[in-house]
Every structure is written in C-alpha cells, then in structure tokens.
C-alpha cells in the first residue's frame, strides 16, 4: 500500500506508517498513492483528487472535514475518514486557556513586563466564577468545555439546534437568547453555510456590553472586521482565537485590534492528542488494508 502523508504529524507516527506501507510526503506523488493522510494544511480539492489515479482512502487526522471535498471523493468512490472523537480534551483545554488569558489580560501583562514596564493599574482582571458562559455548539468539545467551566463556578448555557439533551449546560432555544445572556461566549460549531459569519455585526450588537468571545472552532464563523471594530469600541472586551479566516492571518483587521489573544491553530496539537490521532489513523489504515 502506498501512503501519502501530506501534513506534519510527529516522527513516531511516520515511522508507524512505514510499517504499514510505502510512505511519501510530497503531493507530487498523488497520482500513484492508495491512501492520502492529511491534517488541516492540505486542502483535498476536486483538482487534487482528479490527479489521484489510484486513491481509495482519504484520512483526515482531526475533527471537521472542511478541508476535504468529500462530495468529489464520493463521486470517485474514494472513502473519507476522520478522527472526530480524539481532540475534545485538547481543544477544551485550549478554550479554557484562552478564556482565562482574556479575562486576566495575561498576554498584555506579559508583554509589558518583558518590555521593562510593570503596569499593575492597567491589568484590570475580571473573574469567570459566577458569570454566564454561552456555548455555540454542544457537541463533544462544547460539552467538554461546559464541564470545565462548571468547575470554575460558571453558569453554562448552550445553543445547538441539533442537540436535545446536554448534561453540563442548559440548552436555550436560539442564538439570540444566548447572545443576550452570555458574559463569555465560546464557539464550538462546525463551519457550514448556516454558521459562516454567524458572529457578524447584528449578532455582536445584540450581545452584552463587555462580552469576552473565544473562538477555537473556525475563523470563518466570525466577521473579523466587525469583531475588530467591536474591540475598538469596547463592545467586546476581548477576543481570543485559535483560528482565523486565512492562516496565517496576514492582513486581518484583528491583528491591529486591542485586547486580543491568539494561538496559531493548535487546538488539537497536544502531545497526547497527536498520539491518540495517530493510533486511530493506524487502526483505520490497518482495517482498510485488511479489507482491500
Ligand atoms: P461535534 O460535531 O461533536 O459538535 C459540533 C456541534 O455543533 C454539534 O452538536 C452540532 O449539532 C452543533 N451545530 C451545528 N450547527 C450549529 C449551529 N448552526 N449553531 C449551533 N450549533 C451547531 O464537533 P466537536 O468535536 O465538538 O468540534 C466542534 C468544532 O471545533 C469542529 O467542527 C471544528 O471546526 C472545531 N475544531 C477546532 C480545532 C482546533 O484546532 N482549533 C480542533 C478540533 C475541532
């Protein structure tokens, strides 16, 4: 079996793949491989698939499939798999990290001190305890965030049109209800036609003044221009994001906006999760190899 490992996982993973077949890492080889393994960077487009003469399986090590043209794969009879359950703890811990960093102005404080200042009066912190956290999306990651936020003493509410019961959060009937009530908002919905740009001007205006917004889902859920303006006006107290419209986000209006905390799309990238994802990909490949 010829495997094309198009994105970086970790060295141990590549060695494990070599036990299952011949591994290449260059997309130039796409014509002759049986399996394509990607994370987020490689876009599995219709054009790429058209160049793949033997491809039978695409595996995305990660949650969403928004970088894979699954319809084009189906048309060609190519199976598509991902690892939906692996990343919940890793992403939930990053969402909590960003939430705490935003509420406590940690990045600002660090940068000031590293520049030789000691701005005690400018580091105005707020507590998460006692605040209402609103989750958009109550799936695996949303629920993992809910459990952690509850341990911080937050009241957790969630909007999710497809979930009927949620143990760690009270479900509300609309996104508007969520925006009205939440002091902190955390995004955990997939990117699709419904969610693209859902945090635009109208949504932001309807939120509580001084809301903190955390985005570990997808950059395109948020109108970055509207968010930058809301940070300048103070409507939004802080925006903490792991994901952006384009990555790296060069030219994004968010880069010059105040009160931001950014990480470079590393929600799934813990050492433990890379091992977990690797285990699942190897299992998928082994079963597929046996079936083939
Ligand atoms: P999941 O499928 O378990 O949960 C997503 C939830 O969103 C579902 O319950 C679904 O019903 C809900 N949803 C769908 N449309 C909605 C809408 N219009 N409004 C509100 N909720 C809606 O997925 P998950 O594992 O919890 O992951 C959530 C998202 O996190 C993924 O789709 C992915 O984009 C993102 N993610 C980011 C990283 C990262 O590195 N930052 C890593 C993994 C996942």
């Amino acid at each position: 079996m010829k495997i094309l490992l198009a994105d970086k996982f970790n060295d141990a993973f590549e060695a494990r793949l070599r036990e299952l077949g011949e591994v290449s890492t260059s997309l130039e080889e796409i014509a002759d491989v049986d399996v394509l393994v990607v994370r987020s960077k490689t876009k599995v487009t219709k054009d790429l698939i058209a160049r793949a003469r033997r491809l039978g399986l695409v595996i995305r090590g990660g949650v969403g499939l928004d970088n894979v043209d699954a319809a084009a794969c189906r048309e060609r009879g190519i199976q598509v798999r991902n690892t939906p359950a692996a990343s919940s703890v890793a992403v939930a811990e990053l969402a909590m990290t960003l939430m705490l960093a935003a509420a406590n102005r940690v990045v600002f404080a660090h940068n000031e001190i590293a520049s030789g200042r000691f701005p005690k009066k400018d580091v105005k912190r707020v507590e998460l305890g006692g605040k209402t956290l609103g989750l958009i999306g109550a799936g695996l990651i949303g629920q993992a965030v809910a459990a952690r936020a509850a341990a911080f003493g937050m009241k957790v509410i969630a909007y999710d049109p497809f979930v009927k019961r949620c143990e760690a959060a009270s479900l509300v009937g609309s996104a508007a209800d969520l925006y009205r009530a939440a002091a902190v908002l955390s995004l955990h919905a997939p990117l699709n036609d419904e969610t693209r740009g859902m945090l635009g001007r109208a949504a932001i205006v309807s939120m509580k003044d001084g809301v903190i917004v955390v985005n570990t889902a997808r950059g395109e859920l948020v109108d970055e221009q509207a968010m930058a303006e809301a940070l300048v006006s103070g409507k939004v107290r802080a925006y903490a994001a792991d994901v952006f419209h384009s990555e790296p986000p060069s030219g994004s209006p968010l880069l010059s906006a105040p009160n931001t905390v950014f990480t470079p799309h590393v929600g799934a990238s813990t050492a433990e999760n890379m091992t977990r994802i690797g285990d699942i990909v190897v299992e998928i490949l082994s079963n597929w190899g046996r079936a083939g």
Side-chain angles (χ1 to χ4, degrees):
M1 155 166 62
K2 285 193 177 173
I3 305 165
L4 172 50
L5 179 59
D7 294 334
K8 197 84 196 131
F9 282 68
N10 59 25
D11 294 345
F13 176 67
E14 194 170 329
R16 291 175 75 190
L17 288 193
R18 288 192 191 287
E19 290 169 16
L20 294 168
E22 197 180 310
V23 179
S24 62
T25 54
S26 162
L27 274 180
E28 299 299 310
E29 315 260 333
I30 187 72
D32 296 317
V33 297
D34 306 293
V35 179
L36 172 62
V37 182
V38 301
R39 285 197 61 209
S40 301
K41 196 166 172 216
T42 299
K43 309 293 172 224
V44 186
T45 59
K46 208 175 176 126
D47 286 351
L48 185 70
I49 293 160
R51 286 162 48 205
R53 290 194 300 248
R54 302 172 40 152
L55 194 63
L57 174 64
V58 173
I59 308 178
R60 177 176 183 240
V63 174
L65 277 174
D66 40 296
N67 59 325
V68 177
D69 189 334
C73 289
R74 263 195 307 276
E75 265 173 37
R76 285 270 318 274
I78 298 167
Q79 277 189 44
V80 178
R81 300 289 302 272
N82 61 344
T83 61
S87 304
S88 315
V89 171
V91 182
E93 289 191 8
L94 187 66
M96 294 309 294
T97 302
L98 291 172
M99 210 181 291
L100 286 161
N104 292 288
R105 302 205 76 196
V106 170
V107 174
F108 168 78
H110 170 90
N111 288 341
E112 288 291 293
I113 292 169
S115 308
R117 294 180 285 275
F118 202 68
K120 246 175 129 67
K121 279 202 228 75
D122 294 331
V123 181
K124 296 193 171 70
R125 303 171 49 223
V126 291
E127 295 177 4
L128 297 182
K131 299 277 179 353
T132 297
L133 169 64
L135 303 174
I136 298 185
L140 291 171
I141 297 171
Q143 299 206 30
V145 170
R148 284 154 181 77
F152 270 79
M154 301 186 87
K155 176 184 174 206
V156 188
I157 59 175
Y159 168 64
D160 189 319
F162 305 106
V163 160
K164 298 280 164 276
R165 280 193 60 242
C166 177
E167 251 174 50
S170 312
L171 292 168
V172 298
S174 69
D177 289 345
L178 196 84
Y179 299 151
R180 250 193 309 276
V184 182
L185 204 68
S186 193
L187 309 188
H188 303 290
L191 176 63
N192 56 37
D193 290 345
E194 296 289 302
T195 59
R196 190 181 302 277
M198 71 186 289
L199 257 65
R201 269 194 185 83
I204 292 172
V205 165
S206 72
M207 290 175 196
K208 270 182 178 298
D209 290 343
V211 62
I212 291 173
V213 181
V214 177
N215 187 2
T216 56
R218 285 292 180 263
E220 294 93 328
L221 267 52
V222 174
D223 176 338
E224 292 188 344
Q225 182 63 43
M227 183 56 73
E229 288 168 17
L231 286 162
V232 170
S233 75
K235 173 73 189 177
V236 173
R237 177 189 166 89
Y239 180 62
D242 184 47
V243 285
F244 305 87
H245 280 207
S246 58
E247 297 177 359
S250 44
S252 168
L254 289 172
L255 298 187
S256 52
N259 301 325
T260 54
V261 182
F262 298 140
T263 49
H265 202 152
V266 289
S269 308
T270 61
E272 293 83 352
N273 195 37
M274 286 299 100
T275 304
R276 251 185 326 260
I277 289 176
D279 288 346
I280 299 169
V281 172
V282 166
E283 194 187 324
I284 294 171
L285 267 174
S286 308
N287 291 338
W288 189 78
R290 271 196 291 274

